[in-house]
Amino acid sequence: MINITNNKTVIPMLDVKAQHEPLKEEIKQALKDILDSGQFILGPNVRSFEQETASYLNVKNAAALASGTDALYLSLKALGIKEGDEVITTPFTFIATAEAITYVNATPVFVDIDRYTLNIDVSKIEEKITAKTRAVIIVHLFGQPADMDEIMDLARKYNLKVIEDCAQAFGARYKGKAAGCIGDAGCFSFYPSKNLGAYGDGGMMITDHNEVFEKVRLLRNHGTVAPYRHGFIGYNSRLDEIQAAILRIKLRHIDEYNRKRGNLARIYTSVLSGAVQCPVEMTDRSHVYHQYTIRTPLRDKVSAALKNSNISSVVYYPLPLHLQEAFHYLGYRKGDLPESEAAADEVLSIPIYPELEPDKAEMISEAILQAVRHGDAG
Ligand SMILES: *Cc1c(COP(=O)(O)O)cnc(C)c1O
């Protein structure tokens, strides 16, 4: 992906081809079986993938969908969020989290983040709750679950629905529970770069509530309650058989993928803590390191130095959502959410993916250390 090659080997942010290599014969066979069967939509692979994921995450229901964005959108819809409602979320995330809120004509209300975890600061949620607040979308940013106990307490107190945006947190755990199983609905993305990545777009909504599941299952397929009988207006948001078959194969490796990400994170943290702010791991939850994101006032110098050494790095996210032109109409100004704005100026995500060799991680760490020392000196 983010890999500019001009005869130099660049260490990319991720390497989807390397992940495919050991699986390719198995995937070829699965694709051949689907082509032979002629069944491409809502067939046995989608059903099995839903069951296998529900069982892996230990949740009652899973609905495979066309994307993570759709999972958020259809969850809001199924939970009854509508025009005039306010939905609290973080501004330090990918835009899809807040876009989904606007799709149901509700209003995103942004709450600032914690400086260390970069997840929503739960101590700042209550002051943003109004008579119109109906839900919160919690993002488990970069793979680490947010403070779900505190969030669920607030949700009970104010009667709010809780949607977990788990696009970056497949397989992460919070006090023994899988991320996505704690709120009313959990939303996953299988975009190729995610921890569990398809070979195209894909998503999923999980829930223990049977009625929410039933609603999303019908919404994804034109509200079809029986052949050519439509109970309400729905959408076309189905995962296809080919993606489901690939995801079933990859699901069997997700623990290994996440474990390898964790090993690389430990290498990075052991070399870099002290020089830059490293991801903070909370003791009661697991971090699946969708990204390994460092923080330093010397961010631009570090990223330039890495580029010079042919090492990729990306700023997730350079502009918080409340300052995006798309959300100008909400009326936020610079300075409104200072922690998110400061993070945007200082964060840098560095390569982390299961196929990255540990010695490369050591080399990358050394390059960062040098850049920080150099930057400090001048
Ligand atoms: C990737 C992502 C999404 C959107 O998922 P798609 O499958 O690309 O629609 C939503 N939220 C977050 C936090 C993401 O990282």
Side-chain angles (χ1 to χ4, degrees):
M1 293 196 61
I2 309 139
N3 186 347
I4 311 123
T5 26
N6 36 16
N7 294 326
K8 291 178 283 184
T9 332
V10 175
I11 300 182
M13 285 301 283
L14 82 162
D15 189 343
V16 287
K17 282 195 245 166
Q19 183 156 105
H20 176 65
E21 194 53 35
L23 307 175
K24 69 180 182 194
E25 289 313 320
E26 201 181 346
I27 287 177
K28 262 188 210 160
Q29 186 57 49
L31 297 192
K32 183 181 179 300
D33 292 346
I34 292 168
L35 299 188
D36 290 345
S37 80
Q39 199 172 0
F40 303 123
I41 299 288
L42 295 181
N45 279 291
V46 167
R47 275 194 300 276
S48 298
F49 178 55
E50 288 173 337
Q51 281 159 10
E52 287 155 10
T53 309
S55 139
Y56 175 82
L57 298 172
N58 196 18
V59 67
K60 262 198 218 160
N61 308 293
L65 303 166
S67 72
T69 306
D70 277 6
L72 292 164
Y73 171 37
L74 299 187
S75 297
L76 286 163
K77 204 103 195 150
L79 288 165
I81 310 305
K82 57 183 191 315
E83 185 161 9
D85 294 346
E86 291 178 358
V87 179
I88 286 174
T89 195
T90 168
F92 200 64
T93 177
F94 182 57
I95 191 164
T97 311
E99 269 179 328
I101 299 169
T102 70
Y103 295 163
V104 296
N105 300 313
T107 306
V109 174
F110 296 114
V111 168
D112 214 355
I113 57 168
D114 176 81
R115 175 183 302 225
Y116 299 100
T117 64
L118 307 176
N119 273 325
I120 196 165
D121 182 344
V122 288
S123 73
K124 293 181 180 152
I125 293 179
E126 202 159 13
E127 65 201 53
K128 294 285 183 85
I129 294 175
T130 72
K132 292 180 178 167
T133 312
R134 291 283 175 275
V136 286
I137 301 185
I138 295 303
V139 179
H140 304 310
L141 194 73
F142 301 148
Q144 174 154 257
D147 298 325
M148 290 310 293
D149 277 355
E150 290 83 349
I151 288 155
M152 296 312 289
D153 283 346
L154 281 173
R156 270 185 291 272
K157 186 168 166 192
Y158 294 98
N159 195 23
L160 309 176
K161 303 293 185 193
V162 177
I163 295 172
E164 294 175 69
D165 181 341
C166 307
Q168 305 183 358
F170 194 97
R173 292 188 167 268
Y174 177 89
K175 299 188 177 174
K177 280 192 172 180
C181 302
I182 303 157
D184 296 286
C187 301
F188 294 89
S189 165
F190 305 121
Y191 185 80
S193 66
K194 308 290 168 151
N195 288 34
L196 181 61
Y199 292 179
D201 276 306
M204 178 170 275
M205 190 269 330
I206 62 167
T207 181
D208 277 330
H209 304 305
N210 295 340
E211 47 325 332
V212 176
F213 168 66
E214 201 47 36
K215 189 82 200 254
V216 168
R217 210 177 60 82
L218 294 173
L219 280 171
R220 79 169 169 195
N221 193 29
H222 306 286
T224 306
V225 289
Y228 299 99
R229 290 288 184 280
H230 308 280
F232 45 85
I233 303 291
Y235 306 88
N236 174 351
S237 179
R238 301 169 300 227
L239 185 73
D240 64 72
E241 282 288 293
I242 288 180
Q243 298 306 333
I246 292 164
L247 287 163
R248 288 181 69 200
I249 292 169
K250 286 202 171 187
L251 178 63
R252 294 182 210 130
H253 300 276
I254 188 66
D255 284 337
E256 174 202 333
Y257 294 158
N258 283 342
R259 186 172 41 74
K260 286 183 171 166
R261 286 174 182 270
N263 290 343
L264 294 165
R266 269 183 288 287
I267 294 174
Y268 282 140
T269 301
S270 71
V271 182
L272 294 174
S273 63
V276 298
Q277 182 186 306
C278 294
V280 184
E281 271 195 48
M282 314 287 276
T283 51
D284 55 1
R285 61 200 85 170
S286 65
H287 194 319
V288 292
Y289 288 101
H290 174 61
Q291 298 295 343
Y292 188 94
T293 303
I294 60 170
R295 181 166 179 172
T296 166
L298 302 169
R299 190 265 310 278
D300 293 339
K301 283 182 177 152
V302 171
S303 110
L306 289 177
K307 191 164 180 233
N308 263 330
S309 310
N310 296 321
I311 299 164
S312 303
S313 65
V314 179
V315 176
Y316 297 122
Y317 295 92
L319 188 65
L321 299 186
H322 68 288
L323 300 179
Q324 295 283 350
E325 199 178 336
F327 289 120
H328 183 76
Y329 72 96
L330 293 172
Y332 288 88
R333 293 218 178 86
K334 206 168 163 66
D336 284 348
L337 301 167
E339 289 298 343
S340 305
E341 295 165 28
D345 290 338
E346 294 189 351
V347 290
L348 188 68
S349 297
I350 59 177
I352 191 160
Y353 50 92
E355 300 74 24
L356 182 68
E357 296 93 345
D359 64 323
K360 294 256 173 54
E362 278 162 28
M363 191 263 274
I364 295 166
S365 310
E366 288 305 326
I368 293 169
L369 265 193
Q370 270 191 25
V372 170
R373 291 203 187 112
H374 208 184
D376 268 340

